């Protein structure tokens, strides 16, 4: 499934938009592996894989980006840095990447579209981008439009018995002329060639009626090209590689990677599966339940007063792990692989990757792991 994406052309070397299906990634490339990222979008890779690729050179090297995708929960928005996303629909919401020290992730269930503003400038004067890459100054998404071209019904060609005259039919203010083919010497057009053929009426010197002329399709890269879309050899190679992989691998779900499963390794070495929301603390308790789902309570730390009664919540949202500090007294520190420790603000949520360490204080740490599907 796809959604309509329009963009405002930008300057080469600035912001780059990668679009494939129901996923759009806008970023300042820097040292990011653009070919690998585009290949991930093409094969509908897990969100966690995309984030790990962006963070491959360390947290401080992650470029500013916005990643939007449509899934069963709605429109998923992930932002970081000098880029903001404004969703449209019953509840208009704005997410600014500068509000997060790593990145922010949100799901808007009723979003009908979104605008991606770069460096504070709103998009305008947009051009369509069905799939590929382009340098952009702004991007708009319409989640109610699957991007499919409108179907056009061509007029039927009458047989020789029905008429000896060309058939004319007005189609959206353009006249389509379909001549009757009577020349036995003319070569038939095969089904494969028909897709690249243009039918036109050609008056030959000795002919009294139009004949069928096959005009070769224009060479790739010609025609009404907007001059902005990037279709590099590297991107084409990445697309070809992904298609070959998809053709050789058994499909688990059409167009989607297998769902990842996560777990947390506790200080005593036990592993707790994240198949439901987990509430961790010295003596955790639940006062109210959201959506009828009761979180699993894990007591930790014994009498260690550095750990609050309800200290931290860990859950899987989509295919990423989200850690939320529960207004703990001494706070929660996250250490992502290859990055400096970062302390969450009271009540703050953050998306983490596999290998992340959740430090509750007093030497009590929890590690995020991936388990077999």
């Amino acid at each position: 499934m796809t959604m309509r994406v329009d963009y405002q052309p930008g300057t080469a070397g600035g912001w780059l938009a990668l679009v494939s299906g129901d996923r759009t990634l806008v970023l300042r490339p820097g040292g990011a592996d653009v070919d690998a990222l585009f290949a991930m979008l093409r094969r509908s890779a897990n969100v966690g894989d995309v984030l790990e690729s962006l963070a491959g050179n360390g947290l401080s090297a992650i470029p500013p980006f916005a990643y939007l995708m449509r899934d069963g929960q709605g429109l998923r928005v992930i932002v970081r840095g000098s880029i903001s996303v404004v969703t449209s629909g019953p509840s208009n919401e704005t997410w600014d990447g500068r509000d997060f020290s790593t990145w922010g992730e949100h799901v808007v269930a009723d979003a009908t579209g979104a605008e991606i503003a770069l460096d504070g400038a709103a998009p305008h004067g947009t051009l369509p981008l069905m799939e590929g890459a382009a340098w952009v100054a702004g991007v708009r998404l319409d989640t109610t439009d699957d991007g499919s071209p409108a179907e056009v019904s061509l007029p039927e060609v009458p047989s020789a018995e029905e008429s000896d005259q060309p058939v004319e039919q007005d189609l959206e203010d353009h006249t389509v002329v379909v001549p009757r083919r009577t020349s036995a010497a003319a070569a038939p057009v095969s089904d494969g060639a028909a897709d690249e053929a243009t039918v036109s009426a050609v008056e030959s010197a000795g002919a009294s009626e139009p004949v069928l002329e096959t005009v070769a399709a224009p060479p790739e890269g010609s025609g009404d090209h907007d001059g902005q879309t990037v279709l590099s050899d590297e991107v084409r190679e990445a697309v070809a590689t992904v298609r070959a992989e998809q053709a050789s691998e058994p499909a688990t779900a059409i167009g989607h990677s297998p769902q990842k499963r996560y777990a947390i390794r506790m200080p005593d070495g036990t592993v707790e599966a994240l198949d439901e929301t987990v509430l961790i603390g010295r003596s955790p308790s639940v006062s109210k339940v959201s959506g009828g789902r009761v979180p699993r309570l894990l007591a930790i730390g014994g009498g260690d007063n550095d750990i609050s009664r309800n200290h931290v919540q860990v859950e899987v949202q989509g295919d990423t792990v989200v850690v939320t500090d529960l207004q703990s007294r001494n706070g929660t520190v996250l250490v992502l692989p290859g990055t400096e420790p970062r302390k969450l603000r009271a009540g703050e949520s953050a998306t983490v990757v596999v290998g992340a360490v959740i430090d509750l204080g007093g030497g009590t740490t929890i590690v995020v792991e991936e388990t077999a599907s």
Side-chain angles (χ1 to χ4, degrees):
M1 183 177 293
T2 61
M3 55 185 172
R4 181 181 178 86
V5 178
D6 297 289
Y7 73 99
Q8 176 188 348
T11 304
W15 291 95
L16 180 67
L18 305 176
V19 176
S20 181
D22 57 5
R23 296 160 187 255
T24 298
L25 174 63
V26 180
L27 75 161
R28 285 192 180 276
D33 190 341
V34 174
D35 293 339
L37 289 168
F38 185 71
M40 288 181 182
L41 267 60
R42 284 282 302 163
R43 67 171 181 265
S44 300
N46 292 312
V47 174
D49 291 339
V50 176
L51 295 177
E52 285 185 20
S53 178
L54 289 168
N57 296 322
L59 183 62
S60 61
I62 300 177
F65 73 89
Y67 184 37
L68 285 77
M69 61 171 288
R70 185 171 56 178
D71 58 22
Q73 296 177 318
L75 182 65
R76 186 174 299 274
V77 179
I78 307 176
V79 291
R80 167 184 168 85
S82 57
I83 187 169
S84 61
V85 176
V86 181
T87 61
S88 56
S91 55
N92 292 353
E93 301 184 55
T94 301
W95 312 105
D96 194 326
R98 291 167 291 193
D99 293 338
F100 309 96
S101 53
T102 53
W103 57 72
E105 181 172 357
H106 320 276
V107 176
V108 186
D110 56 1
T112 59
E115 288 192 355
I116 303 176
L118 310 174
D119 299 322
H124 63 276
T126 54
L127 298 172
L129 178 58
M130 297 296 294
E131 178 159 329
W135 298 110
V136 300
V139 177
R140 285 177 175 162
L141 290 81
D142 182 357
T143 63
T144 63
D145 188 339
D146 65 3
S148 301
E151 293 186 0
V152 177
S153 299
L154 293 178
E156 295 183 359
V157 181
S159 64
E161 291 78 11
E162 293 173 345
S163 174
D164 289 336
Q165 300 298 325
V167 176
E168 295 191 4
Q169 177 174 332
D170 286 335
L171 184 63
E172 297 182 357
D173 298 328
H174 297 282
T175 300
V176 178
V177 179
V178 183
R180 179 176 63 87
R181 179 172 182 161
T182 59
S183 174
V189 179
S190 66
D191 291 340
D195 292 338
E196 298 180 356
T198 300
V199 179
S200 63
V202 179
E203 295 290 344
S204 61
S208 60
E209 62 179 357
V211 296
L212 201 63
E213 177 187 28
T214 301
V215 182
E220 184 177 356
S222 66
D224 296 332
H225 192 281
D226 56 30
Q228 300 292 336
T229 302
V230 179
L231 292 175
S232 65
D233 292 338
E234 291 80 9
V235 172
R236 292 194 186 97
E237 291 174 3
V239 171
T241 300
V242 171
R243 287 175 174 168
E245 291 174 352
Q246 290 177 335
S248 61
E249 294 176 358
T252 54
I254 297 176
H256 293 278
S257 302
Q259 181 73 29
K260 285 189 174 182
R261 296 177 65 87
Y262 298 97
I264 51 177
R265 184 172 295 275
M266 306 300 287
D268 61 0
T270 59
V271 176
E272 299 285 346
L274 290 177
D275 48 11
E276 58 187 328
T277 300
V278 175
L279 199 64
I280 304 171
R282 180 162 43 87
S283 180
S285 61
V286 178
S287 57
K288 57 182 179 180
V289 177
S290 174
R293 294 174 296 179
V294 179
R296 181 150 38 103
L297 307 180
L298 296 179
I300 193 173
D304 190 346
N305 290 328
D306 285 338
I307 300 176
S308 299
R309 292 172 61 87
N310 290 316
H311 196 110
V312 70
Q313 174 181 288
V314 185
E315 62 181 336
V316 176
Q317 293 185 8
D319 50 17
T320 60
V321 179
V322 178
V323 177
T324 304
D325 179 82
L326 300 176
Q327 306 286 338
S328 62
R329 179 170 55 192
N330 291 323
T332 302
V333 177
L334 298 181
V335 185
L336 275 63
T339 68
E340 294 295 323
R342 180 177 76 85
K343 186 174 183 178
L344 294 179
R345 298 188 297 269
E348 180 184 1
S349 297
T351 302
V352 299
V353 297
V354 172
V357 176
I358 307 170
D359 189 346
L360 307 186
T364 302
T365 59
I366 300 168
V367 181
V368 178
E369 299 181 346
E370 182 179 352
T371 62
S373 299

